[in-house]
Amino acid sequence: MNAAENVRVRIAPSPTGAMHLGLVRTALFNWLFVRGQGGKFILRIDDTDAQRNQAEVVRPILEGLRWLGIDWDEGPEVGGAYEPYFQSERSRWHAEAVERLLHTGHAYWDYATPEEIDAERKQAIESKQGVFRYSRRWMAEGPGERHRFEAQGRRAVVRLKMPSAGRLELDDIVRGRVEFEWLREQDHVIQRQDGTVLYHLASAVDDAQMRISHVIRAEEHLSNTPRQVFILQALGYPMPRFAHLPFVAEPGSRNKLSKRKLAQYLRNRDFAELVEHGRRLLDRVGVGPEEVPNPVTVDFYREAGFLPEALVNYLALLGWALDDHSELFSREELVAAFSLERVNRSPASFDPLKLMAIEVRHMLALPVEERVRLTRPWLVRAGLVLRPVAPQVERTLSAVVEAAGDRIKVTGDILDYAGFFTSDDALEYDRAAFEKRLRAPGATDLLRRFRDRLVSVEPFTAPVLEDLLARFVAEEEVKVGAVIHALRVALTGKPVGFGMFETMAILGRESCLARIERALVRAESTEER
RNA sequence: GGCCCCAUCGUCUAGUGGCCCAGGACAUCACUCUUUCAAGGUGAAGACACGGGUUCGAUUCCCGUUGGGGCCGCCA
């Protein structure tokens, strides 16, 4: 076995619903690091016994990771040499660790009640020192004492017996040297009265037993590291390397991004726009506002039609940079370029605009067939296209995707061109645009005369049509704008869109004539006014 | 309150003592192109939080201040 195979990293999410973007970023950095090293990426679920129905509860996380292309070598559904990968199933090892800690004097039974502890804590915090250190007043040193306390009806928790002198010096890969005074660390509880263990104990033990070599996690855990180091040392386990990542912060601030503060983020214009964009698209395929996933979770981006490689690329740039100019990376390029040493120390806020910019670049880098494959389901879901998709419709879709270019940012944006897939007599018009362009003085007469030329022009292709219009406006002595705007509204129902001649060619002569005719009739009728 | 972390344009960042009166990207603005909306092209505006040191010389090193964040649970 070579050194690379000893590189083992993990993410250990607790299954609490959808997958938060911060978790995604942590997972990504772990994955990028280990794929570059040739080591193993482990997915462990830090669930608790209270959570039932394992498979159901981890589904959002598994789906999120899979969608992003972040694969795991060991963990749920794939197994591995260090099973089980659900923390709740590892309690016998946790109990065994607590036993050893007790036996070696690194932990003790404590019979204080929660109220007594609270009182001490409160007093300590109000005092000048400001540091809470449990008095160990109800610490039971031997069996005799335990019996005595238990006779009083007290029940014990197990606490860590933290050192009272010296310091811990940690060489964090991203933060450099960090020092802690042991004196400031508390006698944390590692086992509850009911015998179940707490997260820090379980996590440290699981990491050690799973041979985790690098603990790469969010900065919030930096302050928790001393107690885990203590547990590891006391148990005689080798020390992993630590790398504490900066937070993914809220749009426009340095606060940690949180699932619960969505309402507040919606006050950020850019973020609100991003969310609105997704909601609008989902609404058109029958997904109500209540069913739209939280945009602080990965589900939103998947549902709204973002490209996973774009999200990955963007998130990689949040807290990491290769140099002063590289921004666009494929997954493979990221793996090759990534290093923990180049991870930033300061929090990076989530910028919806930049995400969108990266998204567009990735979208444009895709071949047309691929974009067709990704956009097609939206048309089907919206009921605009029937399965199996007819060859004629397929050709239209391909042409629309091609012509729309960077206007299709997320896959759902194909719905902006729904007009190409509706029947000629079902086209909906933008009311304001219709008024402005088709009810302008002389607009219908001009459009009708141009329509007449369309009947016989051959072939019905963009260059020929462009030439036709050029000659037409010259003869009529009007500007191009006088007819083209009315034409656009008549053909697409909208004031904006891609090239007019491509639009006409894609629709074909028959549709163009029918749509113009329909628009003319409507424009000249009075009832619509 | 204690401890820990952080601090370059609005945002993401490059920068490890002189190449920087600070470079790139997104966003913004102007001009240009143009049948609309984008895109493209050209250009503009925009930052080293502050105060002390160290040094011939600090964005870069040290100290302090300020500001921001995190942790201090019988949560994970």
Side-chain angles (χ1 to χ4, degrees):
Chain A
M1 186 185 271
N2 62 38
E5 281 166 13
N6 289 325
V7 174
R8 295 171 58 82
V9 303
R10 52 61 166 181
I11 58 164
S14 60
T16 52
M19 196 181 187
H20 188 274
L21 287 177
L23 207 210
V24 174
R25 213 276 311 257
T26 300
L28 178 62
F29 280 25
N30 270 278
W31 185 83
L32 290 174
F33 169 71
V34 83
R35 288 291 173 258
Q37 299 281 318
K40 300 286 187 208
F41 181 56
I42 289 97
L43 174 59
R44 182 178 75 228
I45 305 297
D46 280 7
D47 59 346
T48 64
D49 290 320
Q51 285 154 339
R52 308 239 184 300
N53 203 346
Q54 277 179 355
E56 190 58 25
V57 112
V58 296
R59 208 186 49 183
I61 292 170
L62 268 37
E63 278 180 0
L65 289 173
R66 267 199 275 265
W67 178 67
L68 291 160
I70 298 175
D71 57 337
W72 56 100
D73 304 302
E74 298 173 22
E77 295 186 3
V78 302
Y82 299 88
E83 289 183 298
Y85 292 93
F86 284 85
Q87 192 159 77
S88 60
E89 293 173 3
R90 305 183 63 82
S91 30
R92 43 180 280 235
W93 293 291
H94 303 152
E96 190 255 352
V98 171
E99 206 54 51
R100 274 168 61 202
L101 256 12
L102 244 13
H103 186 73
T104 55
H106 291 100
Y108 59 88
W109 293 102
D110 175 49
Y111 285 85
T113 64
E115 293 73 28
E116 285 159 349
I117 290 290
D118 280 348
E120 278 198 24
R121 194 192 329 271
K122 211 174 154 199
Q123 196 182 19
I125 286 172
E126 281 168 6
S127 78
K128 299 196 179 50
Q129 275 211 312
V131 202
F132 167 57
R133 263 234 143 188
Y134 173 46
S135 65
R136 295 182 186 168
R137 211 175 131 208
W138 302 94
M139 171 171 73
E141 301 268 34
E145 249 181 324
R146 293 193 62 187
H147 289 316
R148 188 159 62 79
F149 286 139
E150 272 163 27
Q152 295 173 18
R154 289 178 177 270
R155 296 194 58 199
V157 296
V158 177
R159 283 184 188 276
L160 251 20
K161 196 168 191 176
M162 299 299 278
S164 56
R167 55 175 42 191
L168 168 66
E169 295 181 349
L170 214 64
D171 282 310
D172 190 281
I173 299 173
V174 342
R175 264 145 232 285
R177 171 148 298 205
V178 184
E179 301 184 356
F180 299 90
E181 302 263 356
W182 283 119
L183 180 64
R184 307 276 172 192
E185 298 301 320
Q186 302 183 33
D187 286 357
H188 292 283
V189 173
I190 53 175
Q191 187 180 86
R192 299 182 182 89
Q193 282 186 2
D194 68 5
T196 57
V197 300
L198 273 85
Y199 166 78
H200 288 289
L201 185 276
S203 185
V205 170
D206 291 348
D207 282 351
Q209 291 183 344
M210 291 182 178
R211 303 275 190 276
I212 301 304
S213 62
H214 300 254
V215 173
I216 305 166
R217 49 160 38 162
E219 189 195 330
E220 60 183 305
H221 290 287
L222 185 54
S223 300
N224 298 327
T225 307
R227 77 180 92 159
Q228 295 192 353
V229 167
F230 177 79
I231 292 169
L232 258 14
Q233 280 176 342
L235 257 16
Y237 286 122
M239 208 50 60
R241 295 278 272 129
F242 289 95
H244 287 94
L245 272 18
F247 285 114
V248 173
E250 306 169 343
S253 108
R254 291 274 155 128
N255 291 21
K256 186 174 110 175
L257 192 66
S258 157
K259 263 194 255 189
R260 293 187 203 87
K261 284 155 81 178
L262 181 58
Q264 183 190 318
Y265 305 155
L266 257 19
R267 269 179 256 140
N268 175 292
R269 228 187 80 227
D270 299 335
F271 193 75
E273 239 166 66
L274 175 87
V275 174
E276 190 43 46
H277 191 153
R279 285 184 177 163
R280 205 186 70 234
L281 296 178
L282 287 167
D283 182 62
R284 291 201 228 166
V285 294
V287 178
E290 298 307 310
E291 301 165 89
V292 176
N294 186 328
V296 177
T297 69
V298 66
D299 303 41
F300 175 82
Y301 301 88
R302 187 184 57 220
E303 295 305 308
F306 280 77
L307 261 15
E309 52 269 39
L311 225 209
V312 161
N313 189 161
Y314 174 68
L315 256 17
L317 260 20
L318 235 41
W320 173 86
L322 175 62
D323 51 36
D324 64 345
H325 64 277
S326 307
E327 292 212 303
L328 245 46
F329 296 89
S330 66
R331 230 183 300 263
E332 295 68 32
E333 289 166 337
L334 279 175
V335 168
F338 185 82
S339 69
L340 287 173
E341 283 72 20
R342 289 197 64 84
V343 170
N344 268 302
R345 282 176 295 277
S346 48
S349 57
F350 183 82
D351 181 354
L353 254 23
K354 183 90 177 208
L355 199 214
M356 202 50 111
I358 299 278
E359 163 73 17
V360 176
R361 304 293 289 275
H362 278 271
M363 190 66 95
L364 241 27
L366 255 27
V368 176
E369 314 84 71
E370 184 63 8
R371 277 180 277 160
V372 164
R373 189 182 69 77
L374 294 167
T375 52
R376 193 193 292 121
W378 286 90
L379 296 174
V380 175
R381 284 173 75 193
L384 291 161
V385 155
L386 295 176
R387 277 220 143 97
V389 181
Q392 174 58 43
V393 174
E394 196 69 25
R395 275 195 294 276
T396 301
L397 174 55
S398 184
V400 169
V401 166
E402 173 91 74
D406 65 359
R407 292 170 185 82
I408 296 179
K409 297 170 162 47
V410 296
T411 58
D413 285 339
I414 187 65
L415 295 177
D416 285 342
Y417 304 95
F420 284 95
F421 304 94
T422 56
S423 64
D424 298 331
D425 56 3
L427 188 68
E428 288 176 20
Y429 302 100
D430 177 292
R431 214 182 160 76
F434 194 89
E435 286 299 317
K436 182 175 179 195
R437 299 303 186 185
L438 282 157
R439 290 210 162 101
T444 50
D445 289 342
L446 200 58
L447 188 54
R448 176 165 286 114
R449 284 201 291 283
F450 183 62
R451 194 210 87 111
D452 293 342
R453 307 231 176 164
L454 254 24
V455 175
S456 56
V457 64
E458 284 295 347
F460 205 80
T461 59
V464 172
L465 290 165
E466 181 162 11
D467 190 54
L468 179 75
L469 182 74
R471 277 186 284 117
F472 176 75
V473 297
E475 285 169 31
E476 295 279 343
E477 296 184 324
V478 295
K479 286 189 288 184
V480 175
V483 23
I484 211 159
H485 295 301
L487 192 56
R488 182 181 300 283
V489 175
L491 259 26
T492 69
K494 297 178 174 203
V496 301
F498 49 77
M500 200 62 250
F501 307 108
E502 289 156 284
T503 298
M504 293 168 76
I506 292 169
L507 283 171
R509 190 196 317 267
E510 217 177 304
S511 269
C512 285
L513 294 175
R515 290 183 181 203
I516 292 170
E517 195 52 49
R518 177 164 176 261
L520 288 173
V521 169
R522 177 176 297 227
E524 285 163 349
S525 76
T526 48
E527 40 190 286
E528 292 285 328
R529 297 205 89 127

